[in-house]
Amino acid sequence: MKNKIDDLRNHLFATLEALQDKENPMEIDRAKAISKVADSIIDSARVECQYMELTGTQVSAFIAGPKQAEQPRPQQLIKAVAS
């Protein structure tokens, strides 16, 4: 999979920067649309974390996990995404 949660974070921070640009700020409607899409992606990641917990898996195609020896338990991942 090409896009990861880190890519989403980068896009959201770029949106914040564009909103703060005093010379050419992003339109509010466009920023709201980006936020709405991001919310949907985050919701799907939350469901993916729930799936990981139920199946006992610790990484997914969207949420990259740490190295094998450092992998947190699925419950820790769910708390991280929920907060």
Side-chain angles (χ1 to χ4, degrees):
M1 179 176 211
K2 179 182 167 190
N3 296 311
K4 306 282 186 211
I5 194 74
D6 289 334
D7 298 318
L8 175 61
R9 286 187 192 106
N10 291 335
H11 287 296
L12 293 174
F13 280 116
T15 301
L16 284 174
E17 291 170 6
L19 283 167
Q20 295 174 354
D21 185 339
K22 294 192 185 292
E23 293 180 19
N24 187 21
M26 178 183 283
E27 309 86 39
I28 298 298
D29 288 340
R30 184 173 179 200
K32 285 180 182 179
I34 291 169
S35 175
K36 188 172 182 178
V37 170
D39 285 343
S40 295
I41 293 170
I42 291 166
D43 287 343
S44 71
R46 187 174 291 114
V47 169
E48 194 167 345
C49 286
Q50 291 168 345
Y51 171 81
M52 289 165 40
E53 180 181 19
L54 291 171
T55 61
T57 58
Q58 296 183 354
V59 295
S60 73
F62 182 67
I63 302 169
K67 295 177 185 173
Q68 189 69 20
E70 304 171 335
Q71 288 185 348
R73 296 176 34 207
Q75 189 62 31
Q76 293 170 316
L77 293 172
I78 291 170
K79 288 179 183 176
V81 170
S83 56

